[in-house]
Amino acid sequence: MPTVRIIPCLDVADGRVVKGVRFRDHRDVGDVVEFAARYRDSGADELVFYDITASADGRRLDVRWVGRIATVLDIPFSVAGGISSVDDAREVLGAGADKVSINSPALRRPRLIAELAGAFGRQCVVLGIDSFRGTDGRLRVKQFTGRPEATRDSGRETLDWAREAVALGAGEIVLNCMDRDGVREGYDLDQLRALAAAVDVPIVISGGAGKPEHFVDAFRAGASGALAASVFHDGRIAIPALKTALEMEGLEVRR
């Protein structure tokens, strides 16, 4: 099994880190640069930053905070939010990000994935999927999830959209399981396994981490990386202790 990745996720609004539950009721938890430096020092393998309202607001991401983050980080990080063109992505990558992550803009115009992969290589292109399990058990993709009042069903099913996006050039998928977000009851392993069987690119699972065992389960179910926010932000799980727990379960981690 390849080396696993521990990836703290930072939702950003107005240059501040915020955290919600099931994509609602966000609270301010601190300065984005301070959080980035803290995770760098604690041993995070990568970081993901989401400007959570850019797409819903129809605006471009403010790259000034991306540049501020880049000055303190020596680990890879990706940025998402309102990246709707090659020029937008070039600006974000030029500010110091290693990868761009696209979600709602790609749902609106799927060819964006191919354009980004052609311009920068598919290793730079991450597709974020906000997946919701309906009462009928079907997995559907939501968009504009940064604002609850703007969130809507995209009309696409999760696995079909993932296959299409990978065919267009997405080099990695972040699967955000909306039903599990912030509740700390464990990742949606059934959904993860289904996605891993459907595509041949690395998958980062998000939504539901509450204890080290949840990370172990995710990696054994096929995740390349495991993303979490509140358990790291609130200090419930320390990354060095988590990596030790993963090693004890026979998983290879970066030190």
Side-chain angles (χ1 to χ4, degrees), residues 129-133 139-140 158 175-179 191:
I129 299 180
D130 294 332
S131 181
F132 182 82
R133 190 183 297 277
L139 299 172
R140 295 183 172 88
T158 299
L175 177 64
N176 301 309
C177 302
M178 295 181 67
D179 314 77
Q191 188 170 175

Side-chain angles (χ1 to χ4, degrees), residues 94-193:
D98 297 276
K99 296 182 278 190
V100 292
S101 183
I102 53 175
N103 188 327
S104 293
L107 287 163
R108 185 167 58 246
R109 193 171 68 85
R111 285 298 303 171
L112 174 63
I113 300 170
E115 292 167 6
L116 295 178
F120 308 112
R122 67 185 302 156
Q123 78 283 350
C124 286
V125 183
V126 180
L127 178 75
I129 299 180
D130 294 332
S131 181
F132 182 82
R133 190 183 297 277
T135 56
D136 59 1
R138 294 168 66 183
L139 299 172
R140 295 183 172 88
V141 182
K142 298 287 187 178
Q143 64 186 130
F144 304 131
T145 56
R147 289 199 182 279
E149 67 276 12
T151 299
R152 68 187 190 205
D153 194 311
S154 70
R156 293 178 178 269
E157 296 201 5
T158 299
L159 300 184
D160 291 342
W161 173 228
R163 293 186 189 99
E164 180 181 349
V166 169
L168 285 167
E172 182 173 271
I173 291 176
V174 175
L175 177 64
N176 301 309
C177 302
M178 295 181 67
D179 314 77
R180 301 293 184 98
D181 181 68
V183 299
R184 302 173 184 156
E185 296 176 352
Y187 295 107
D188 187 336
L189 301 181
D190 289 340
Q191 188 170 175
L192 170 59
R193 291 188 186 100

Side-chain angles (χ1 to χ4, degrees), residues 44-91:
D45 297 310
E46 299 180 21
L47 295 176
V48 174
F49 298 88
Y50 292 114
D51 184 326
I52 61 171
T53 62
S55 290
D57 292 346
R59 61 173 172 81
R60 298 179 70 185
L61 183 147
D62 183 351
V63 298
R64 289 176 296 182
W65 60 260
V66 178
R68 290 170 57 216
I69 291 165
T71 64
V72 303
L73 287 183
D74 56 3
I75 59 174
F77 71 98
S78 61
V79 174
I83 298 171
S84 301
S85 68
V86 169
D87 287 342
D88 290 346
R90 182 174 289 112
E91 191 172 2

